Amino acid sequence: MFKTYEEALEWIHGRLVMGMKPGLKRMEWMMKRLGHPERRFKSIHVAGTNGKGSTVTYLREMLEAAGQVVGTFTSPYITTFNERISVNGEPISNEEILRLANLVYPLVMELEETSLGGPSEFEVVNTMMFIYFGEGHADVVLIEVGLGGLVDSTNVVTPVVSAITTIGFDHMHILGGTISEIAEQKAGIIKPGIPVVVGNVDSEALKVIGKVAEENASPLLCFNKDYFISKWKTLPTWGETFTFEDDFICLRQVVLSMLGKHQVENAALALEVLRVYSHETGLAIGHEQMLRGLKAAFWPGRLEKINEDPLIILDGAHNEPAMNRLVETLKNDFEQQEIYVLFAALGDKAVDKMLGQLQVLPNVHLILTSFDYPRAASANQLTTNLTGNYDVEEVWQEGLVKTVNEMDSNSVLIITGSLYFISEVRHYFLDETNN
């Protein structure tokens, strides 16, 4: 058993990244032994290639505005490990992590002696989360899928409503090499008779999701079919505004504090999910509470303005679809400015395609770098098969200083790539601000 938070964290991080055998059998075994804590609270289950974190944040803020105590389970963390399990946006304490780890530890030791094998780090943290919220610490829990959906360890939960944000190419070595295969994995969160709300996905993915929903007799609500956005425009200060409408409600002049059309789509998805959740549970929530919650929503590392002068923005565009959204925003909002991009990524990502999207922009200066993480690609590795103009700075701090010195008052620096990279850079800026 563990005596300190640090010991517990070391044990958790020491678990296998993935379980020895794919599937939900280890999670089902642990849930059964614990008396099924995953059945003791209301939940909303969110899957998708990108947009999960933002959608969860929009939902949390709106539910909080309605007086709900809202639990969240998200990954990866940006600031502290504890934030993966949070209540009303506040990470649980070190003492709670220690207590939960000690509750799970003997179970893990017992499971390791079975034919199923020991659980992964993600399965351990999932189990801790289910225990915690099964104790009654929240009115509703928003659960973000870790990877895929069908065999993701969160998929032992039966939610009030499911949501699928986007479908795109990421983790193909696990989820499959086609949109249809990836969509089938994401659609795995659909449960019999449970409504599912789908974001802006293409027809190929929607066909797969629709088939799974039909097989499960699950009501399906789709973007631009059952709910709509209109009158979208970027605000001159920072953020977006739009009108949301479905068959039941119409919200005009919705204001977001987060930037990008994809955030408008995430917010619209969250609104439709909330409308369904309210209908299913009888929760009363007014338009003013929805508007207030959406405006208050903030998600670190997603087009986050971290410095004003010079303008420096962090964005975790960690895969090809996310990079496509970032490039779309750069075209829309920064077309007249010189854009410097400091980029670092993990070695298993499709960096050629991601960087190719950036290099198409005529006003982008690309700087390739690396960071302190075991799976991070070196700056030189990022240059493999890369053509065009770019600079290489192996140490990102040196690249940052050099770039800032080159920028003028009309320039913007985008720091992007791996979410682990964004987390490291964010720590750096916040420490600098606090000192």
Side-chain angles (χ1 to χ4, degrees):
M1 304 296 275
F2 312 109
K3 294 182 179 179
T4 67
Y5 167 79
E6 288 74 20
E7 287 177 359
L9 211 57
E10 184 179 1
W11 173 70
I12 293 168
H13 289 324
R15 303 301 306 172
L16 297 170
V17 175
M18 301 289 289
M20 292 296 289
K21 300 175 184 177
L24 295 177
K25 291 190 180 299
R26 287 179 300 277
M27 285 300 300
E28 291 168 345
W29 185 93
M30 289 190 287
M31 292 300 100
K32 183 177 180 180
R33 291 299 304 273
L34 290 164
H36 291 288
E38 81 283 8
R39 299 176 183 174
R40 298 180 197 147
F41 54 84
K42 298 185 186 75
S43 64
I44 297 172
H45 202 191
V46 183
T49 304
N50 293 302
K52 297 186 295 293
S54 298
T55 300
V56 164
T57 301
Y58 289 128
L59 282 166
R60 176 177 66 78
E61 290 286 359
M62 288 190 288
L63 286 162
E64 280 187 49
Q68 296 286 285
V69 178
V70 188
T72 52
F73 181 69
T74 57
S75 63
Y77 63 89
I78 297 295
T79 305
T80 65
F81 173 84
N82 301 27
E83 73 193 46
R84 297 185 66 169
I85 305 173
S86 295
V87 177
N88 283 358
E90 291 296 321
I92 63 174
S93 67
N94 291 357
E95 291 74 21
E96 285 288 10
I97 294 290
L98 176 60
R99 178 181 72 86
L100 293 167
N102 278 325
L103 287 174
V104 173
Y105 178 78
L107 204 62
V108 170
M109 294 300 101
E110 185 179 349
L111 182 56
E112 283 189 342
E113 298 303 314
T114 72
S115 60
L116 296 173
S120 67
E121 175 182 352
F122 194 66
E123 289 169 326
V124 167
V125 180
N126 264 262
T127 303
M128 292 166 59
M129 177 269 292
F130 283 130
I131 291 172
Y132 182 77
F133 289 122
E135 295 170 342
H137 296 288
D139 298 318
V140 55
V141 183
L142 313 177
I143 299 176
E144 180 185 323
V145 167
L147 179 63
L150 181 64
V151 294
D152 184 79
S153 53
T154 63
N155 206 26
V156 294
V157 75
T158 299
V160 174
V161 55
S162 305
I164 300 174
T165 59
T166 60
I167 304 291
F169 289 110
D170 197 20
H171 302 293
M172 285 93 80
H173 59 295
I174 298 171
L175 303 181
T178 69
I179 288 295
S180 293
E181 289 173 330
I182 295 170
E184 189 171 1
Q185 290 293 317
K186 308 290 186 186
I189 69 166
I190 298 174
K191 303 296 193 304
I194 302 298
V196 56
V197 182
V198 181
N200 187 9
V201 303
D202 67 19
S203 57
E204 182 182 352
L206 192 57
K207 183 178 179 181
V208 174
I209 294 168
K211 182 173 182 292
V212 176
E214 184 179 0
E215 290 169 350
N216 283 277
S218 299
L220 178 67
L221 299 118
C222 302
F223 178 76
N224 272 347
K225 180 175 179 290
D226 301 287
Y227 66 99
F228 307 86
I229 59 173
S230 61
K231 300 179 182 177
W232 161 61
K233 64 178 181 179
T234 301
L235 296 170
T237 49
W238 188 271
E240 311 290 347
T241 183
F242 66 99
T243 292
F244 170 87
E245 191 170 3
D246 65 10
D247 287 341
F248 302 90
I249 61 175
C250 179
L251 282 179
R252 294 182 174 86
Q253 294 183 319
V254 179
V255 174
L256 307 180
S257 299
M258 294 199 278
L259 193 65
K261 187 181 180 183
H262 58 291
Q263 291 297 358
V264 174
E265 294 172 359
N266 293 336
L269 172 66
L271 280 165
E272 187 67 3
V273 169
L274 181 63
R275 201 268 306 161
V276 174
Y277 178 84
S278 300
H279 174 78
E280 295 291 323
T281 62
L283 174 69
I285 179 167
H287 289 192
E288 189 277 331
Q289 293 166 322
M290 295 178 187
L291 293 170
R292 178 154 42 92
L294 289 172
K295 188 173 182 179
F298 164 74
W299 189 235
R302 271 62 167 192
L303 281 168
E304 177 187 3
K305 184 174 12 177
I306 200 73
N307 195 75
E308 185 71 44
D309 187 18
L311 180 57
I312 301 177
I313 297 169
L314 304 183
D315 188 68
H318 61 291
N319 55 33
E320 191 179 348
M323 183 59 72
N324 182 55
R325 293 301 185 97
L326 173 59
V327 168
E328 181 183 69
T329 303
L330 294 179
K331 287 179 180 177
N332 186 64
D333 296 321
F334 300 98
E335 187 178 15
Q336 304 303 319
Q337 295 171 256
E338 288 296 307
I339 303 171
Y340 292 82
V341 177
L342 187 64
F343 178 91
L346 299 183
D348 58 355
K349 294 293 182 176
V351 293
D352 292 358
K353 293 181 179 179
M354 294 167 68
L355 294 174
Q357 292 186 60
L358 284 168
Q359 287 186 308
V360 168
L361 299 177
N363 55 334
V364 161
H365 306 275
L366 182 61
I367 306 102
L368 305 177
T369 190
S370 190
F371 63 108
D372 185 18
Y373 190 73
R375 292 163 52 205
S378 70
N380 283 321
Q381 284 175 325
L382 296 176
T383 67
T384 305
N385 301 323
L386 189 64
T387 59
N389 296 321
Y390 55 84
D391 293 320
V392 176
E393 294 286 345
E394 194 65 47
V395 180
W396 72 261
Q397 292 90 338
E398 294 177 2
L400 173 64
V401 172
K402 182 178 178 181
T403 302
V404 168
N405 288 335
E406 290 180 5
M407 294 170 63
D408 60 30
S409 59
N410 193 45
S411 301
V412 57
L413 170 59
I414 308 292
I415 301 176
T416 189
S418 167
L419 288 170
Y420 298 101
F421 175 48
I422 296 304
S423 177
E424 186 173 314
V425 175
R426 197 168 188 274
H427 273 291
Y428 171 84
F429 273 97
L430 293 179
D431 288 346
E432 287 292 305
T433 301
N434 293 331
N435 290 338

